[in-house]
Amino acid sequence: GQQLNQSPQSMFIQEGEDVSMNCTSSSIFNTWLWYKQDPGEGPVLLIALYKAGELTSNGRLTAQFGITRKDSFLNISASIPSDVGIYFCAGRAGGTSYGKLTFGQGTILTVHP
Amino acid sequence: DGGITQSPKYLFRKEGQNVTLSCEQNLNHDAMYWYRQDPGQGLRLIYYSQIVNDFQKGDIAEGYSVSREKKESFPLTVTSAQKNPTAFYLCASSSPSGARNEQFFGPGTRLTVL
């Protein structure tokens, strides 16, 4: 099946720092989604991207749909302690069943006050 | 409030027993999904259903079964044939209108098989 490579696997940062993470795929994707998961909870959708080159913001979060359609990036500016959690990218490859997503392995973010 | 509910939050079962996890949504979504999450791994698709009375196997369907008799409900049964059932199970739903693929998740059920 499709595979997504998400990096980094984990990040340890100080409060106030900016964060960047990315996902790459071996095939072209039509959709990129970014989720955040708190411990013991279900993932929450942060940003959805549907067009190559699209840049979308949600508060301090900004995500981009790569121009090659094989990657996506998520940036968090001025991190705060509540940003702690696991961030997942997800995407739908061209030719797959409608709605069927592939998920990255996640980036574990730790923010030190 | 509209949303997805999963029950129970924690479930313990003895090895060899079947167990059914509940998933209900009142978002009027057509499609529903079941994922399994293991520590340090992403979400892996077990089964999905795009319409009532129809469902398809995902990437790791062996040892699991589902039904979709109502639009609002998509229960997952973990059978005794599942070799390593202890995991965090997540249900999701989506409304495939236009080009949107956004899936919305429930709070999850943590299953522990003793």
Side-chain angles (χ1 to χ4, degrees):
Chain A
Q2 304 294 336
Q3 291 198 351
L4 288 181
N5 184 26
Q6 185 172 349
S7 65
Q9 288 188 340
S10 61
M11 302 182 73
F12 298 84
I13 62 171
Q14 292 293 130
E15 183 177 358
E17 291 183 359
D18 296 344
V19 172
S20 291
M21 59 191 79
N22 70 83
C23 268
T24 59
S25 69
S26 55
S27 54
I28 289 175
F29 273 44
N30 295 330
T31 300
W32 285 101
L33 306 172
W34 285 93
Y35 289 88
K36 182 195 177 197
Q37 184 179 30
D38 291 328
E41 300 295 330
V44 174
L45 180 65
L46 299 173
I47 293 178
L49 303 161
Y50 290 98
K51 291 170 56 177
E54 182 180 356
L55 185 72
T56 298
S57 293
N58 178 6
R60 293 178 295 105
L61 279 61
T62 302
Q64 186 164 22
F65 194 135
I67 200 71
T68 65
R69 301 176 69 182
K70 291 185 177 182
D71 57 8
S72 180
F73 307 87
L74 176 69
N75 296 317
I76 305 173
S77 62
S79 59
I80 59 178
S82 62
D83 290 335
V84 165
I86 305 176
Y87 291 80
F88 289 101
C89 62
R92 175 175 169 251
T96 58
S97 298
Y98 191 90
K100 192 176 177 186
L101 298 175
T102 300
F103 283 80
Q105 301 95 323
T107 295
I108 302 172
L109 179 63
T110 303
V111 180
H112 294 288
Chain B
D1 282 356
I4 303 173
T5 57
Q6 292 185 244
S7 61
K9 182 69 173 174
Y10 300 95
L11 191 53
F12 297 88
R13 278 294 183 268
K14 292 184 179 180
E15 194 171 341
Q17 290 181 333
N18 291 356
V19 60
T20 297
L21 281 59
S22 167
C23 178
E24 305 278 332
Q25 55 99 0
N26 60 5
L27 300 169
N28 200 33
H29 285 172
D30 292 310
M32 297 187 73
Y33 312 81
W34 273 105
Y35 293 90
R36 171 183 172 133
Q37 185 176 28
D38 294 287
Q41 295 193 32
L43 281 63
R44 292 185 290 168
L45 184 64
I46 304 172
Y47 268 98
Y48 64 106
S49 168
Q50 295 180 313
I51 197 169
V52 174
N53 293 321
D54 187 45
F55 48 83
Q56 287 80 39
K57 293 182 179 180
D59 301 318
I60 55 166
E62 185 176 350
Y64 299 98
S65 66
V66 293
S67 63
R68 186 82 187 279
E69 297 176 1
K70 298 187 299 182
K71 186 175 185 177
E72 302 79 20
S73 178
F74 191 39
L76 173 74
T77 297
V78 185
T79 74
S80 57
Q82 168 51 232
K83 294 191 182 347
N84 186 18
T86 294
F88 190 50
Y89 290 88
L90 288 159
C91 178
S93 70
S94 69
S95 180
S97 58
R100 299 206 166 269
N101 294 277
E102 298 162 14
Q103 291 183 17
F104 299 91
F105 286 84
T109 293
R110 185 166 300 280
L111 172 65
T112 302
V113 176
L114 306 171

